Amino acid sequence: MEFIFIRHGHGEHLNDYPNRLNTLHPGLTEYGKFQVTQIRNEIKMDPDDLVLVSPTKRTIETAIIIKNDMEFIISPLVGPRMFPQNPELAFLACDHILTKTEITNLYGNTEILDFNLDCWEEGINRIEQDIFEGYATRLLDWIGESHKKIFIISHDGTITNYRIWLGEKGLTRKDFLGEAVVYRMNL
């Protein structure tokens, strides 16, 4: 099984950093769209691959650019997650996820996966580690052996949390992926 993590391209909330981190639902900048277009050629998706996308505007826009007519599933289980966890830090508006209604209004009947969990208020951003690991385990169990490649289009902190959960050791913020970067992990 191969996990292919893709970090979204440059977002509007990163213009005039850090002053715009409290921008609600930032999308990709024109530069971010260009970045994602540049990596599209190195991503080969097959019809039986699974594509999971964080419920933020910038990750969904990233998926739309690279998906090559592939369907994708939006899930709060791969939404923004702080790394490292620090409940003392403020919850930034840029990390608020779209609601199910907003997703339907903006993106039609795109499939949503949440296992009927109560995870739409703050998503997985600041939940305790054991709860995150329970959600991640449930997601991996759901994936099972049915897909050879699993694409996760998400955020730097989320990707780092999943990399650690999948077995990587000693990761720090220095291991964050850059904008519109692809990271492959074989299990």
Side-chain angles (χ1 to χ4, degrees):
M1 182 182 305
E2 181 180 22
F3 281 86
I4 299 103
F5 294 100
I6 302 169
R7 178 158 183 257
H8 62 80
H10 188 265
E12 296 168 331
H13 64 301
L14 298 175
N15 285 337
D16 190 27
Y17 179 86
N19 298 320
R20 294 202 46 208
L21 290 178
N22 275 311
T23 301
L24 186 61
H25 303 312
L28 294 175
T29 62
E30 288 304 313
Y31 179 63
K33 293 173 185 174
F34 170 77
Q35 290 175 310
V36 174
T37 302
Q38 294 299 102
I39 66 166
R40 182 173 46 200
N41 293 334
E42 71 180 88
I43 302 166
K44 180 166 176 4
M45 292 183 179
D46 298 316
D48 59 338
D49 294 338
L50 177 63
V51 182
L52 298 170
V53 182
S54 166
T56 64
K57 187 175 178 185
R58 61 195 179 273
T59 52
I60 296 169
E61 288 176 347
T62 298
I64 289 169
I65 293 169
I66 66 170
K67 72 177 182 136
N68 297 325
D69 293 325
M70 291 278 298
E71 295 296 317
F72 58 86
I73 299 170
I74 297 173
S75 178
L77 303 179
V78 296
R81 178 156 175 81
M82 185 186 301
F83 182 88
Q85 283 294 301
N86 184 350
E88 303 295 317
L89 294 178
F91 189 91
L92 300 171
C94 64
D95 286 337
H96 282 272
I97 60 178
L98 296 167
T99 66
K100 289 181 186 182
T101 301
E102 288 170 322
I103 291 168
T104 301
N105 289 343
L106 292 169
Y107 305 106
N109 291 327
T110 302
E111 186 176 347
I112 296 173
L113 175 69
D114 64 5
F115 302 119
N116 294 315
L117 297 170
D118 183 21
C119 54
W120 286 95
E121 188 65 32
E122 282 195 24
I124 62 168
N125 195 20
R126 295 162 33 122
I127 60 175
E128 294 178 20
Q129 187 65 21
D130 61 328
I131 297 171
F132 166 73
E133 290 174 5
Y135 287 178
T137 299
R138 186 148 181 202
L139 183 61
L140 190 60
D141 289 346
W142 177 81
I143 293 169
E145 298 295 321
S146 58
H147 302 281
K148 291 182 182 174
K149 292 189 294 185
I150 298 93
F151 290 86
I152 298 178
I153 302 173
S154 193
H155 314 269
D156 46 18
T158 310
I159 292 168
T160 303
N161 275 286
Y162 269 99
R163 288 171 58 192
I164 290 170
W165 182 78
L166 290 167
E168 287 193 49
K169 305 279 187 230
L171 298 180
T172 69
R173 290 179 67 88
K174 291 180 183 176
D175 296 295
F176 277 3
L177 303 182
E179 295 169 346
V181 169
V182 178
Y183 182 83
R184 298 173 187 277
M185 220 179 146
N186 288 302
L187 294 185

